[in-house]
Structures are given as C-alpha cells and as structure tokens.
Amino acid sequence: MEWLTAPFEVAFVQRALWGGVLVSLVCALAGTWVVLRGMAFFGDAMSHGLLPGIALASLAGGSLVVGACVSAAVMTLGVHALRRSPRLSQDTGIGVLFVGMLALGVIIVSRSQSFAVDLTGFLFGDVLAVRPADLAYLGVALGVALAVSVLGYRPFVALAFDERKAATLGLRPRLAHAVLLGLLALAVVASFHVVGTLLVFGLLIAPPAAVLPWARGIPVIMAGAACLGALATFLGLLLSWHLHTAAGATIAATAVLQFLVSVLASGAVARWRGRTAHRLDAPGPHTEYGHPA
C-alpha cells in the first residue's frame, strides 16, 4: 500500500491535501445554493471577473487576495444593481459584466511590458504551493461561509424555491440574493489561489450536482458535497503524483468524473425502477371469474 500513502508523507502534499479539503468544505456550502438557485453562470463570470483586481494588485506589489476581493465586490454589486432593471434579464447583465471585467483585466495585463502577472497561476492555481498561512486563511473563510449558511438558511431556502413566497413571508429576497452572491464570491476568492479560477468549479459545482439526485434535504446535499470534494482532492493528488499531471486540474477532473458517474448511476436506477414498476402493474393471467388460472 506504499503507492497509496507515499505521496502524503511529503510535507507540501500534506498541505495541499488540507488546503483542498478546506476548499471543498467552503465550496460545498456555497455550491449547494449555486446549484439549487441555478447560478452557475454567475459563478463562472465571477471567477473571470477577479482578473482586473488581481492584475492591479500584482502590478502594484499588493495582496492578490485583496485585489480579488475588490473585483468580487464590484461584480456582486453590479449584478445586484442590474437585477433590478425590469427590461434586462439577469443573464444579460451578468454576461455584460463578465466580458467587461475580463477585457479590463486583459488590458491591465497588456499594459505591463514585462507581463508580470502570472496568468497561468491565476487560471490554474498551484495547490502544491499551499502555505500554512493559506490554510489559516481558508479556515477563516470556512468559518464565515458556515456562519452565513446557518444564519441565512431559511431565506436561502425560500429564495431557491419560490422568490415570491419569500417576499410574502417577509424574508427580504433581494437582501438574501445579495448575501448569496457574497457567499459565492467568498468561495471563489478563497479558492482561486489553490485550484485556480478556471478549475474552481470542479469543486464548486460538481460535488453538489453529483449528490443532488440521491439526497432530499439541503444539509444532506452539503455534507455529501463536502465528502465528495474531499475524496476528489485525495484521489486527484494521488493520481497527480503517480501520473505526473497538474494537481489542481487532476482534482477538478476527478470531481467532474464523480458527477458523471453519479448521473449515469441515477439514470440506471431510475430506468430499473421504471421497469420494475411496469412489471408489478402489468396484469397477470386470470380466468373469466377473476381468479388466477
């Protein structure tokens, strides 16, 4: 069993494992609401919308996390403001902001003659470079995400299933939507420096979507997504070590593979149940008096 344990005897792989597990927990909390609310497109736009702030922070020698937070705040406020327009669909507003922020980020990067901004690290991350300070930061992000999910649970549930009913119950759906956008922004900002913005959705979307066909309660979906995300991190690091592939991409690909297996399995179970129910409902051989022959 040395092939199973040898990679995790190395210190930087151990930190990568803990970092990936923490990211999985944060993404499970935010990703469950994203899947239920149908906000995957906004999450994609959010990840790319971080580029201007990160580029400016890198060129100025500042904190990339602070730059990402600023861009995330701009995206969140912009989407929330455009959502109030009665003639503009939410997808249209998100799309416009997505293109605008991405274009601005590329313009900022292009103005640097040395191209000092490491776009590869931004897009794909480096989970094997996780430091103890990053683990502390992810722990704080997890605590905030857990507090927001617990305190906003009732409004989030009402918002996910019936926004009009939420307004009727006095749960302030607009405020709940804004907080939900902030929770998603927190997950993306906390995760981008570990698995990168292009791969963060491997842990944000795939685990909750994989659990959804099998679970009924929202807390169960969150717990299952956290377990699948942690498992994807472990398997991804293990495969990356032995196959010499990019760690972050392997983790994300493993999470997506889990989702595909779940979809195929749930479809097979549904077809089997359908055939079983059809056989049970089919009439058997009877005599003219209604009794079995």
Side-chain angles (χ1 to χ4, degrees), residues 149-162:
S149 296
V150 171
L151 295 176
Y153 181 80
R154 189 163 175 257
F156 289 168
V157 171
L159 183 66
F161 294 101
D162 192 338

Side-chain angles (χ1 to χ4, degrees), residues 4 14 26-27 35 46-47 49 62 68 77 99 108 123 176 199 211 219 243 249 252 268 273 275 279 289:
L4 186 65
Q14 293 175 2
V26 175
C27 288
V35 171
M46 174 68 75
S47 66
L77 293 175
V99 174
I108 294 172
L123 295 175
L199 302 175
V211 178
L243 300 178
R273 288 178 176 174
R275 288 194 297 267
R279 286 197 298 267
Y289 299 103

Side-chain angles (χ1 to χ4, degrees), residues 30 42 46 50 68-69 72-73 76 180-191:
F42 173 73
M46 174 68 75
L50 300 183
C69 288
T76 302
L180 193 55
L181 295 181
L183 179 61
L184 175 57
L186 172 66
V188 173
V189 171
S191 305

Side-chain angles (χ1 to χ4, degrees), residues 55-280:
L56 284 174
S58 179
L59 294 174
S63 170
L64 299 184
V65 173
V66 173
C69 288
V70 172
S71 286
V74 172
M75 282 289 295
T76 302
L77 293 175
V79 170
H80 188 62
L82 291 175
R83 185 171 178 263
R84 298 185 177 185
S85 175
R87 296 186 177 182
L88 189 66
S89 69
Q90 181 170 317
D91 285 348
T92 301
I94 293 173
V96 171
L97 286 175
F98 168 36
V99 174
M101 293 291 282
L102 183 59
L104 178 60
V106 173
I107 291 172
I108 294 172
V109 171
S110 67
R111 290 292 298 172
S112 171
Q113 296 180 356
S114 62
F115 289 92
V117 178
D118 186 1
L119 286 180
T120 302
F122 166 70
L123 295 175
F124 302 107
D126 190 0
V127 67
L128 296 178
V130 173
R131 301 166 299 176
D134 295 327
L135 296 179
Y137 166 72
L138 288 171
V140 173
L142 175 59
V144 174
L146 182 60
V148 171
S149 296
V150 171
L151 295 176
Y153 181 80
R154 189 163 175 257
F156 289 168
V157 171
L159 183 66
F161 294 101
D162 192 338
E163 186 171 348
R164 294 180 181 178
K165 185 66 174 294
T168 303
L169 295 174
L171 295 177
R172 304 178 67 181
R174 288 187 177 181
L175 177 59
H177 183 74
V179 175
L180 193 55
L181 295 181
L183 179 61
L184 175 57
L186 172 66
V188 173
V189 171
S191 305
F192 85 91
H193 66 295
V194 176
V195 294
T197 58
L198 290 181
L199 302 175
V200 66
F201 288 98
L203 294 175
L204 186 67
I205 301 298
V211 178
L212 192 60
W214 307 97
R216 296 185 181 275
I218 292 177
V220 177
I221 297 176
M222 289 181 173
C227 292
L228 285 182
L231 179 60
T233 299
F234 175 81
L235 293 177
L237 289 173
L238 183 65
L239 292 173
S240 173
W241 177 274
H242 291 293
L243 300 178
H244 306 289
T245 57
T250 308
I251 292 171
T254 303
V256 172
L257 181 61
Q258 290 175 337
F259 165 73
L260 295 176
V261 171
S262 174
V263 169
L264 293 175
S266 63
V269 170
R271 289 191 296 271
W272 177 79
R273 288 178 176 174
R275 288 194 297 267
T276 302
H278 178 73
R279 286 197 298 267
L280 292 176

